[in-house]
Amino acid sequence: MLFKKEWLHKIPKMLETEDTELEDKEFKLVYYADNIKAKWQIVEAEKEGDDILFFGYIEGFGFADEWGEFTLSQLEEINEAYKSSGLSLKVKKNF
């Protein structure tokens, strides 16, 4: 399981940190896989239908690193793809 619903109340809601400078935003969750440079660093999260919408910093894909939105279901798809290579996403919590 990549995300536990009880974590939602420990992460700021979407747009809750919009007045915080980007360099001062605090990553609450970081998803990563060993031996892969890609990371999904989460600053905000909110339930959206049956999914969780995240805002954070994505890096390590060989093109420009960027701030943006992504969903839990997208992370789950990436995790499934990694499993075919014997890898899986891990999460580091900062709360």
Side-chain angles (χ1 to χ4, degrees), residues 25-89:
K25 291 188 185 285
E26 185 178 347
F27 300 126
K28 296 297 188 177
L29 296 174
V30 177
Y31 287 93
Y32 65 97
D34 292 335
N35 302 320
I36 295 177
K37 293 182 180 180
K39 286 193 268 185
W40 296 262
Q41 301 168 99
I42 295 169
V43 173
E44 300 171 341
E46 194 164 290
K47 186 159 176 52
E48 186 175 79
D50 292 336
D51 212 343
I52 305 291
L53 178 64
F54 298 118
F55 174 75
Y57 193 66
I58 306 162
E59 65 177 286
F61 283 97
F63 50 87
D65 301 335
E66 65 182 358
W67 289 93
E69 294 180 351
F70 49 97
T71 63
L72 178 59
S73 60
Q74 289 171 316
L75 287 176
E76 289 170 338
E77 288 175 21
I78 292 165
N79 193 42
E80 285 302 312
Y82 281 169
K83 283 182 179 179
S84 66
S85 300
L87 301 170
S88 63
L89 287 178

